[in-house]
């Protein structure tokens, strides 16, 4: 489970996917399979979560990596390049963006 902590020693990547409701479930299954079978086993992987909006037109993916280079190395593997080509066919667009946690809040 991702833990969002300010100044955590991890690289945060948030990826948004835009698709039609008709392809949302297929894309969610492809992403779930990619994490279960490949991404979660890559060096530097820490945690991830997938979120679907009510209209099933967007999926948000939050992932954490030990280092920026670990995430980039995973993207460059032949397997992930092939998976990304298939994922791209199921959605209008997707964009991974690296972030630093600027602040966190809780109910305490």
């Amino acid at each position: 489970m991702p833990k969002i902590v300010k100044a955590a020693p991890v690289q945060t990547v948030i990826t948004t996917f835009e698709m039609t409701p008709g392809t949302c479930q297929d894309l969610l299954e492809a992403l779930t399979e990619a994490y279960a079978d490949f991404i979660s086993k890559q060096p530097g992987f820490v945690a991830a979560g997938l979120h679907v909006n009510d209209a099933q037109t967007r999926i948000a993916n939050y992932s954490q990596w030990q280092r920026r280079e670990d995430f980039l190395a995973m993207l460059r593997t032949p397997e992930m390049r092939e998976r990304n080509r298939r994922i791209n066919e199921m959605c209008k667009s997707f964009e991974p963006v690296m972030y630093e946690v600027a602040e966190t809040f809780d109910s305490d």
Side-chain angles (χ1 to χ4, degrees):
M1 170 186 296
K3 293 182 182 170
I4 304 171
V5 179
K6 186 176 179 178
V10 296
Q11 176 66 62
T12 300
V13 181
I14 300 174
T15 306
T16 54
F17 301 83
E18 184 179 357
M19 80 291 300
T20 65
T23 58
C24 181
Q25 190 59 42
D26 293 334
L27 180 55
L28 184 59
E29 288 173 8
L31 292 169
T32 299
E33 180 182 295
Y35 271 102
D37 297 345
F38 182 71
I39 299 171
S40 65
K41 296 170 176 50
Q42 296 308 296
F45 175 80
V46 175
L50 294 167
H51 309 265
V52 179
N53 72 336
D54 289 345
Q56 295 191 339
T57 56
R58 293 191 186 273
I59 294 175
N61 170 222
Y62 185 95
S63 66
Q64 294 174 325
W65 297 82
Q66 289 177 358
R67 300 174 315 132
R68 171 186 192 97
E69 294 79 13
D70 296 327
F71 173 73
L72 294 173
M74 178 276 301
L75 285 181
R76 291 183 188 116
T77 63
E79 176 154 353
M80 199 63 217
R81 290 173 63 201
E82 177 58 32
R83 285 180 185 270
N84 276 338
R85 281 191 281 277
R86 290 194 309 267
I87 287 167
N88 188 53
E89 292 172 359
M90 289 184 253
C91 59
K92 295 177 184 177
S93 65
F94 73 96
E95 180 180 14
V97 179
M98 293 186 190
Y99 291 90
E100 298 296 326
V101 177
E103 195 58 72
T104 61
F105 304 92
D106 58 35
S107 63
D108 290 340

